[in-house]
Amino acid sequence: GVPTIVLNSEKRLSALNSEAEDLTGIRISAAEGESIMDVSREQGFAATVIELCDNSASNGGTFQQGTYEVSGHEFNINVASLLGKDNFAKAFYITMIRVD
């Protein structure tokens, strides 16, 4: 499957699938509700994810994409915001697609 991360509106971890856990080293059982910046071993990865989330949220929830090298492989980091009726992001859906 595709490594997938779900963050809440405050960019705290709501869900990770097993592929995302294996790739990032983050265990949802230990990290649920924590800021991705606080639990990511790779601060650059966390910063990239947060920047993409912010860009998506401030542009009407539009899809955002960036790249980051994780475990020696290049990944496209894809972020979609899930907006409420008030146009504020309620959650962020992040997928990681290996490029190389």
Side-chain angles (χ1 to χ4, degrees):
V2 173
T4 304
I5 302 169
V6 178
L7 301 180
N8 69 11
S9 60
E10 299 171 338
K11 298 173 206 75
R12 294 181 178 275
L13 290 162
S14 293
L16 275 84
N17 65 5
S18 59
E19 291 86 353
E21 285 189 328
D22 292 345
L23 192 61
T24 63
I26 299 169
R27 299 285 169 242
I28 193 62
S29 57
E32 187 172 3
E34 298 292 325
S35 164
I36 192 166
M37 283 302 281
D38 293 341
V39 294
S40 180
R41 288 184 301 215
E42 189 68 57
Q43 290 298 292
F45 169 73
T48 298
V49 167
I50 287 173
E51 180 182 3
L52 292 169
C53 289
D54 288 343
N55 289 346
S56 179
S58 62
N59 286 291
T62 55
F63 172 84
Q64 300 289 313
Q65 184 177 71
T67 57
Y68 199 82
E69 189 177 299
V70 184
S71 303
H73 297 285
E74 188 82 6
F75 283 84
N76 281 334
I77 311 296
N78 307 299
V79 175
S81 295
L82 307 175
L83 299 184
K85 288 181 180 174
D86 57 4
N87 279 334
F88 285 102
K90 304 303 180 195
F92 300 94
Y93 185 79
I94 300 136
T95 55
M96 301 168 65
I97 308 295
R98 188 168 154 178
V99 177
D100 56 9

